[in-house]
């Protein structure tokens, strides 16, 4: 999966705040994401992240349709 910093993704499970949209803030063996609603940061292992991604909403600022 091609993920870059700044991408906004939708995960399968919602965050306790109610949002399912996350912005990628770190890429490596682990993927760091920040909730778009409450700005909480979470670090996920790459395999876990790729399993939980439902879709990519935007690539580094440009909206995909």
């Amino acid at each position: 999966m091609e993920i870059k910093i700044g991408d906004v993704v939708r995960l399968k499970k919602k965050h306790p705040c109610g949002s399912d949209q996350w912005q990628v803030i770190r890429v490596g063996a682990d993927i760091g994401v920040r909730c778009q609603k409450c700005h909480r940061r979470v670090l996920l292992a790459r395999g876990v992240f790729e399993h939980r991604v439902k879709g990519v909403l935007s690539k580094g600022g440009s909206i995909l349709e």
Side-chain angles (χ1 to χ4, degrees):
M1 176 176 276
E2 185 69 27
I3 295 294
K4 296 182 180 174
I5 295 175
D7 291 355
V8 177
V9 297
R10 175 170 283 146
L11 298 183
K12 291 179 183 178
K13 286 186 169 182
K14 291 190 178 202
H15 191 246
C17 73
S19 177
D20 62 352
Q21 295 181 13
W22 299 80
Q23 183 178 22
V24 177
I25 58 172
R26 180 183 186 275
V27 176
D30 296 324
I31 306 290
V33 291
R34 181 174 54 218
C35 179
Q36 291 291 89
K37 185 175 180 182
C38 69
H39 304 288
R40 175 128 357 211
R41 293 181 293 188
V42 177
L43 194 62
L44 298 170
R46 183 176 283 272
V48 173
F49 175 81
E50 289 179 356
H51 178 73
R52 290 187 184 179
V53 169
K54 193 173 185 179
V56 177
L57 301 177
S58 68
K59 288 273 192 188
S62 63
I63 304 293
L64 296 177
E65 299 190 39

